[in-house]
Amino acid sequence: MTVILQSSVFDPGATINEFQKQSINCGAIVSFTGVVRNNEESNLKKLHIEHYPSMTKIAIEEMINVANKRWKLSNCLVIHRYGNLKVNEIIMMVVTASSHRVDAFQAAEYLMDYLKSRAPFWKKEFTDKGSNWVLSKETDEAALTRW
Amino acid sequence: MKLEMIRILYFSWIREGVGASEEKLETKSENVKELINELKLKNEKYNSVFSKLDNIRVAVDQKLVNFETSIKNAEEVAFFPPMTGG
């Protein structure tokens, strides 16, 4: 079980390949990759991601611990970037490994839902029209209730 | 009552609003709500940032808590908006 926080870019394909090599006796690997998308109303020049360094890793490890109790995982990886990102760059990745796909899928979804609104990251968009902090969505908060 | 030295961190628009990412404060406040009231008295910037608490979250010693939580013996209190990870 690994949590990596970094400002630098990473290769999701190579990450999955390496993860698979390290995940012994698993029958299923599920991954989710988050990508910076353009702003619908104005061109996104950059996305700045701020985080709370001494809390972020602890909060994500706690999410993984809970997922590990609920589903049978043989391995799990979360990578999340911070700093300045451009459109189409990879923001983050969740990879889960299990004997069967249902556990791997559900644990990945659970982790994504919790990363959205319980991991201490904040995004600021810089566009043609200025800058603004991305607001949290009620739907993201509501998504937690299904777990 | 004994004064306790506490480290306070601010993130996102709260950091921009108060004009600092962190500070140290000697406080008699016993819980988060009292600390907020104490901060609001510092100046108009703090008063404005903490005027509505709906969009403010708090962590005490890196753990997400509510405004009633005790800060006695705590080392670090962080204020930030609802998180937008992923």
Side-chain angles (χ1 to χ4, degrees):
Chain A
M1 310 289 159
T2 311
V3 177
I4 299 170
L5 305 166
Q6 62 183 49
S7 58
S8 54
V9 294
F10 65 93
D11 178 344
T15 304
I16 295 173
N17 289 341
E18 187 55 35
F19 181 86
Q20 196 234 326
K21 281 184 204 156
Q22 292 168 5
S23 306
I24 306 146
N25 289 333
C26 78
I29 290 175
V30 165
S31 75
F32 172 87
T33 307
V35 183
V36 181
R37 67 168 174 271
N38 208 353
N39 186 299
E40 284 161 18
E41 286 135 32
S42 51
N43 262 331
L44 186 72
K45 289 194 282 189
K46 72 172 179 187
L47 180 71
H48 177 75
I49 302 179
E50 180 175 326
H51 79 122
Y52 178 2
S54 62
M55 177 177 171
T56 315
K57 203 168 182 190
I58 298 171
I60 298 173
E61 282 170 351
E62 180 59 30
M63 290 168 204
I64 293 175
N65 285 341
V66 175
N68 225 358
K69 283 177 193 146
R70 288 187 67 163
W71 296 282
K72 226 175 161 184
L73 297 179
S74 46
N75 201 358
C76 179
L77 167 69
V78 173
I79 305 178
H80 205 301
R81 290 180 62 199
Y82 57 85
N84 293 324
L85 286 77
K86 289 188 177 133
V87 173
N88 289 331
E89 278 191 34
I90 310 288
I91 302 180
M92 54 82 63
M93 192 170 192
V94 167
V95 197
T96 54
S98 181
S99 301
H100 302 286
R101 71 179 188 280
V102 174
D103 283 49
F105 268 121
Q106 290 199 341
E109 276 208 88
Y110 171 89
L111 288 170
M112 273 316 302
D113 281 350
Y114 270 82
L115 281 161
K116 275 269 165 200
S117 47
R118 291 292 183 274
F121 291 97
W122 303 276
K123 299 188 181 111
K124 191 174 193 178
E125 289 183 333
F126 291 79
T127 72
D128 294 344
K129 293 177 184 166
S131 62
N132 63 281
W133 289 99
V134 176
L135 298 175
S136 62
K137 296 192 190 102
E138 278 180 28
T139 48
D140 288 338
E141 191 63 33
L144 301 185
T145 59
R146 66 176 167 145
W147 304 109
Chain B
M1 192 180 289
K2 191 171 156 266
L3 286 168
E4 304 247 9
M5 183 65 85
I6 201 158
R7 185 171 177 231
I8 309 174
L9 305 181
Y10 306 100
F11 293 95
S12 182
W13 57 261
I14 296 173
R15 169 176 53 74
E16 293 174 343
V18 302
S21 56
E22 71 170 90
E23 64 183 309
K24 284 191 171 167
L25 187 78
E26 266 194 325
T27 181
K28 284 184 207 165
S29 297
E30 295 200 357
N31 63 30
V32 174
K33 201 178 255 177
E34 284 179 27
L35 179 66
I36 289 172
N37 288 333
E38 190 180 339
L39 289 168
K40 282 169 80 173
L41 296 173
K42 282 185 79 161
N43 62 43
E44 190 45 44
K45 285 184 190 172
Y46 287 85
N47 193 32
S48 169
V49 161
F50 290 107
S51 61
K52 272 172 45 178
L53 299 182
D54 312 13
N55 286 320
I56 292 182
R57 303 288 179 267
V58 62
V60 172
D61 289 337
Q62 298 88 40
K63 195 173 167 28
L64 197 63
V65 295
N66 62 41
F67 296 120
E68 312 297 332
T69 301
S70 168
I71 57 166
K72 287 184 99 179
N73 302 317
E75 288 180 10
E76 188 172 286
V77 177
F79 292 103
F80 42 79
M83 294 158 266
T84 52

